[in-house]
């Protein structure tokens, strides 16, 4: 029997309590191995629908199906043990009515084991957020640059850099908070507005391209690791995994071609053959000192 106490996952109320406190740390995660590595350092892992672009090469998040979110969501829950896991509702799975949103969000919760879902939209989604939260589904909002609306916006456009846009965005933030969301992602928003919203609403704001004024930060893992070919200005690269992968694969290709891989240490022998002739020779030279 293990004497180690089971690790307790971060809960939705734990995140809510972090308003105006120590900044909330979060990253996206799409698969079990990376979830396991980053889990100890983050408060929540977001299985973002950005996985459609990052993992599957779509040009936007619009084509992502619900079943794909469920597959990746369950992998991240299995790979992690302490962070809250939040799964994105993909485009078309929640906008039509609060009832349809509940049907799909409850599938996500049951089939992945995640602790909360995220959906995009402000005032237009307030009724749905209330419907879900009153029925046991914790909701993280997402306002500002909402990538699922890329076709309405005509591209991924920063929001709130003109004061004329502020009123609508502030209304969105308040609507999401009043509707019962436990926190809200603010994406691609000018610093002054992000700071104003953060001061005005009662739930923690999670910034991505929305300045250090927010209550927490999120980045797409592959962007900050230097794996994505193009990244927006707000991303800081904390690693250069793209070059590291290329170097490793180059060495592998060279060694396959020169037959230096697989080596003795990577090769299975017949039981009757062991120790291998090479090892026997090494043993002999060690004994004789040659
Ligand atoms: O899909 C995603 O990864 C997101 C984050 C960028 C917040 O929504």
């Amino acid at each position: 029997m293990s004497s180690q106490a089971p690790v307790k996952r971060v809960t939705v109320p734990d995140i809510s309590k972090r308003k105006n406190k120590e900044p909330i740390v979060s990253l996206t995660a799409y698969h079990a191995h990376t979830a396991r590595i980053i889990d100890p350092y983050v408060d929540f892992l977001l299985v973002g629908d950005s996985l459609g672009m990052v993992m599957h090469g779509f040009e936007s998040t619009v084509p992502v199906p619900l079943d794909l979110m469920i597959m990746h969501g369950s992998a991240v829950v299995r790979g992690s043990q302490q962070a809250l896991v939040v799964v994105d509702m993909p485009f078309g799975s929640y906008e039509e009515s609060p009832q349809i949103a509940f049907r799909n969000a409850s599938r996500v919760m049951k089939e992945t084991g995640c602790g909360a879902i995220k959906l995009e939209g402000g005032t237009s989604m307030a009724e749905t957020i209330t419907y879900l939260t009153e029925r046991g589904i914790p909701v993280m909002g997402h306002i500002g640059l909402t990538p699922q609306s890329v076709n309405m916006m005509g591209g991924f456009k920063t929001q709130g850099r003109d004061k004329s846009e502020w009123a609508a965005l502030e209304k969105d933030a308040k609507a999401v908070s009043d509707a019962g969301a436990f926190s809200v992602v603010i994406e691609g928003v000018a610093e002054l507005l992000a700071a104003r919203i953060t001061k005005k609403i009662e739930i923690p704001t999670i910034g991505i391209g929305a300045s250090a004024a927010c209550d927490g930060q999120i980045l797409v893992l592959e962007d900050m690791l230097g794996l994505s070919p193009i990244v927006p200005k707000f991303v800081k690269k904390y690693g250069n995994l793209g070059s590291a992968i290329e170097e490793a694969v180059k060495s592998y290709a060279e060694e396959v071609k020169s037959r230096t891989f697989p080596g003795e240490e990577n090769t299975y022998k017949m039981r009757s053959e062991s120790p291998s002739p090479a090892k026997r020779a090494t043993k002999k030279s060690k004994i004789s000192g040659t």
Side-chain angles (χ1 to χ4, degrees):
M1 216 170 61
S2 160
S3 59
Q4 276 191 336
V7 179
K8 195 183 163 300
R9 267 197 203 268
V10 175
T11 64
V12 161
D14 292 337
I15 299 291
S16 305
K17 280 184 218 143
R18 296 275 288 277
K19 179 75 189 172
N20 297 326
K21 301 246 166 59
E22 188 191 11
I24 297 161
V25 182
S26 60
L27 282 167
T28 61
Y30 313 133
H31 80 317
H33 287 339
T34 44
R36 180 181 48 77
I37 296 167
I38 68 181
D39 179 53
Y41 307 100
V42 296
D43 297 300
F44 74 87
L45 291 165
L46 172 69
V47 186
D49 61 351
S50 53
L51 64 81
M53 300 169 80
V54 178
M55 302 284 288
H56 299 276
F58 291 125
E59 276 183 14
S60 79
T61 56
V62 171
V64 173
L66 186 66
D67 284 341
L68 193 64
M69 295 307 303
I70 291 176
M71 289 290 279
H72 286 281
S74 349
V76 169
V77 170
R78 286 192 294 268
S80 60
Q81 50 175 343
Q82 76 84 31
L84 172 71
V85 177
V86 182
V87 177
D88 248 345
M89 296 299 290
F91 179 66
S93 69
Y94 62 94
E95 302 88 332
E96 199 174 339
S97 70
Q99 290 77 9
I100 291 176
F102 182 80
R103 199 167 309 143
N104 288 326
S106 58
R107 256 197 80 197
V108 170
M109 303 281 298
K110 279 178 194 232
E111 293 178 35
T112 67
C114 72
I117 59 97
K118 173 166 87 57
L119 53 80
E120 295 183 9
T123 51
S124 63
M125 281 301 125
E127 188 191 345
T128 297
I129 294 173
T130 303
Y131 192 89
L132 296 181
T133 52
E134 283 179 348
R135 286 161 182 77
I137 298 183
V139 178
M140 178 177 280
H142 185 156
I143 60 159
L145 194 172
T146 45
Q148 292 175 11
S149 306
V150 62
N151 292 307
M152 291 300 289
M153 294 185 296
F156 298 105
K157 300 215 168 109
T158 314
Q159 309 286 304
R161 293 181 85 179
D162 289 316
K163 269 202 164 167
S164 59
E165 298 168 6
W166 282 22
L169 289 163
E170 287 184 47
K171 217 168 138 192
D172 279 341
K174 187 165 165 17
V176 166
S177 176
D178 291 351
F182 70 96
S183 67
V184 60
V185 168
I186 304 186
E187 179 166 355
V189 163
E191 180 178 21
L192 278 181
L193 177 60
R196 244 173 97 95
I197 291 175
T198 301
K199 258 197 206 121
K200 278 190 175 170
I201 64 173
E202 283 171 14
I203 57 175
T205 57
I206 311 295
I208 173 160
S211 86
C214 295
D215 295 300
Q217 298 293 323
I218 188 159
L219 282 175
V220 168
L221 180 67
E222 285 73 3
D223 289 352
M224 59 89 84
L225 290 180
L227 201 56
S228 309
I230 304 167
V231 291
K233 166 192 165 78
F234 62 75
V235 173
K236 178 173 172 183
K237 283 194 197 173
Y238 288 85
N240 209 342
L241 231 59
S243 310
I245 290 175
E246 201 177 337
E247 277 309 304
V249 172
K250 231 165 94 187
S251 303
Y252 167 71
E254 281 164 12
E255 291 192 9
V256 168
K257 287 178 187 162
S258 64
R259 294 193 190 280
T260 47
F261 176 82
E264 282 288 314
E265 66 280 20
N266 314 111
T267 303
Y268 295 110
K269 300 287 179 188
M270 299 296 288
R271 290 192 210 287
S272 57
E273 267 185 294
S274 62
S276 68
K279 273 196 185 145
R280 250 183 265 139
T282 330
K283 253 191 194 166
K284 228 172 137 185
S285 66
K286 268 192 190 149
I287 293 165
S288 65
T290 54

